[in-house]
C-alpha cells in the first residue's frame, strides 16, 4: 500500500500547528540505517498516534521561542532493527521503541540542554497542563516487537 501524502498533509494541517509542517513528521522516512535497511513512511492506521506528541511540541516551541529540530519520528520495525545478525543486535535503538508506533519523537531544542527541556516537560505533566486538539483522534495500540 502506498503512502497517501495528500491525506497525511490534510490530517496534520487540520491541527493548526504554528511551528511544524507535516513534512517534518516524515523526517528520515526515506533513509537507510547503517545496515542498509530502508525506513518507510508511517502506515495510515498509526497517523493519529503522533497527534498528541506534535501538539505538545508545538506548544513547547511557542513557549520557548526557540527552534526545535525533529531528529527521528516514525521508524518501521525493519529499520528500527539495526541488523538481522542477532550478534550485532540493536545499536542505539530501543527494541520496543515507540517510534514504531508513530508516537515518539527525538528532537533537539536549539541552544538548550536536553535536561532543561525534560524538566520543563515534566513540570507541565506534574501541573496537569492540558492541550487542545482541533481534531478528534484515537491512538492505536501497536504491538511493538522486541526483535532479536
Amino acid at each position: 500500500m502506498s503512502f497517501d501524502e495528500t491525506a497525511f498533509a490534510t490530517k496534520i494541517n487540520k491541527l493548526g500547528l504554528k511551528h511544524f509542517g507535516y513534512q517534518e513528521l516524515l523526517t528520515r522516512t526515506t533513509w537507510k540505517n547503517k545496515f542498509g535497511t530502508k525506513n518507510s513512511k508511517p502506515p495510515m492506521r498509526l497517523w493519529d498516534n503522533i497527534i498528541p506528541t506534535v501538539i505538545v511540541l508545538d506548544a513547547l516551541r511557542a513557549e520557548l521561542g526557540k527552534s526545535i529540530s525533529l531528529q527521528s519520528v516514525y521508524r518501521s520495525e525493519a529499520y528500527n532493527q539495526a541488523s538481522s545478525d542477532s550478534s550485532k543486535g540493536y545499536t542505539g535503538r530501543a527494541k520496543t521503541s515507540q517510534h514504531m508506533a508513530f508516537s515518539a519523537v527525538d528532537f533537539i531544542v536549539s541552544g538548550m540542554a536536553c535536561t532543561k527541556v525534560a524538566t520543563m516537560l515534566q513540570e507541565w505533566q506534574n501541573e496537569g497542563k492540558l492541550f487542545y486538539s482541533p481534531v478528534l483522534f484515537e491512538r492505536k495500540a501497536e504491538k511493538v516487537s522486541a526483535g532479536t
Side-chain angles (χ1 to χ4, degrees):
M1 181 178 203
S2 66
F3 181 77
D4 187 341
E5 190 162 340
T6 301
F8 183 72
T10 300
K11 182 168 207 65
I12 299 304
N13 290 340
K14 284 181 181 179
L15 298 174
L17 301 172
K18 295 178 183 164
H19 304 289
F20 294 98
Y22 80 92
Q23 303 94 330
E24 292 171 276
L25 298 176
L26 300 176
T27 296
R28 297 188 180 178
T29 56
T30 59
W31 287 29
K32 290 182 179 180
N33 64 21
K34 67 183 181 179
F35 299 100
T37 305
K38 191 173 186 294
N39 199 8
S40 62
K41 295 191 169 124
M44 184 182 280
R45 73 178 186 281
L46 300 179
W47 291 359
D48 281 2
N49 289 358
I50 199 64
I51 291 173
T53 307
V54 76
I55 287 173
V56 171
L57 281 175
D58 203 53
L60 181 66
R61 167 67 178 85
E63 178 82 16
L64 297 174
K66 295 178 180 283
S67 173
I68 295 178
S69 173
L70 305 186
Q71 301 297 302
S72 181
V73 188
Y74 178 72
R75 294 182 198 149
S76 68
E77 186 174 340
Y79 181 81
N80 193 70
Q81 169 66 46
S83 169
S84 59
D85 180 349
S86 61
S87 69
K88 294 178 183 175
Y90 289 81
T91 55
R93 295 183 176 102
K95 290 181 180 183
T96 57
S97 172
Q98 291 304 302
H99 290 277
M100 295 185 286
F102 200 33
S103 59
V105 176
D106 295 341
F107 64 95
I108 296 172
V109 177
S110 180
M112 196 168 178
C114 60
T115 52
K116 247 185 159 167
V117 176
T119 298
M120 183 176 182
L121 290 171
Q122 187 63 55
E123 287 171 358
W124 283 5
Q125 182 178 7
N126 293 344
E127 295 166 0
K129 186 169 175 103
L130 299 176
F131 299 91
Y132 169 75
S133 174
V135 299
L136 293 176
F137 65 89
E138 179 183 346
R139 287 188 94 163
K140 305 289 190 287
E142 180 73 358
K143 184 175 189 245
V144 177
S145 170
T148 58

